[in-house]
Amino acid sequence: METNESFQRPSPAEAAAALETAQQARAAGYSPIPAWFFPAVGLLVAGVMLFQSDAIAPELALLAIAVVIAGYVVTERVYNRRVSRSGIAPRHLTLGQQLVLVTPLAALWIAGELLDDRWGWVWMVAAVVGGCWTVGYGLFHNRRARASA
C-alpha cells in the first residue's frame, strides 16, 4: 500500500521547468506533415485522373492501376514508418481542411466526366491541375503549421 508521506511539492523553478518541457512537447506535436508527402499524393491524384483518359492504351490500364495502388501503399507505409520512428505525430488535417483539399478535385473529376466526350484531352488538363492543387495545398498547409508551432 502506498503512502503519501514522501510526497513533496516541486519548487516553483521545478514546476516552471516541467511546464516548459510539456509546452515544448505539445508544440512538437504540431509539426508539419513531411514535405515529400503532398507531392507524392499529387502524383497519385494525377495518375488516377489520367486513367480516365482515352490516351492510355487499354492493355496498359491494368498496369497503370497497379502502379498507382502500389504507389499509394508505399507512400502510406513510408509515412507511417517515419512518423512512428520520430515519435512525433504531425498535425492531421481537420475535416474542414480535408474538404478544402478534396472539393476542387471532385469538381475537376465532374468536369472531366462532363467534358470528356467533347474534348478528349480534358483528363490531361485535370490531371495536371489536380496534381498541382494537391502539392500547392500541401505547401500552404505546412507553412501555416510551421507558423503556428
Side-chain angles (χ1 to χ4, degrees):
M1 181 180 241
E2 291 184 32
T3 62
N4 289 334
E5 293 175 19
S6 64
F7 178 78
Q8 293 179 346
R9 297 187 103 166
S11 70
E14 291 172 338
L19 181 61
E20 179 66 27
T21 302
Q23 287 174 341
Q24 287 176 352
R26 193 175 311 122
Y30 291 123
S31 65
I33 293 172
W36 59 267
F37 183 76
F38 283 105
V41 172
L43 285 173
L44 292 172
V45 165
V48 167
M49 287 190 178
L50 283 176
F51 289 145
Q52 302 303 313
S53 173
D54 293 335
I56 295 180
E59 57 272 1
L60 294 179
L62 200 56
L63 176 64
I65 291 171
V67 168
V68 167
I69 291 171
Y72 177 77
V73 169
V74 167
T75 300
E76 284 297 315
R77 290 219 172 193
V78 169
Y79 175 77
N80 289 329
R81 185 174 299 147
R82 291 196 180 186
V83 166
S84 65
R85 267 192 213 150
S86 72
I88 299 171
R91 180 181 296 202
H92 294 288
L93 294 177
T94 64
L95 179 61
Q97 291 169 333
Q98 290 175 11
L99 288 175
V100 169
L101 175 62
V102 173
T103 302
L105 296 176
L108 278 172
W109 192 277
I110 291 168
E113 289 292 335
L114 293 174
L115 299 174
D116 189 30
D117 292 336
R118 182 176 289 176
W119 298 304
W121 48 266
V122 73
W123 285 111
M124 303 294 179
V125 174
V128 170
V129 171
C132 289
W133 166 252
T134 305
V135 172
Y137 183 82
L139 293 173
F140 175 76
H141 171 75
N142 279 347
R143 185 175 302 142
R144 288 187 65 200
R146 282 188 189 97
S148 67

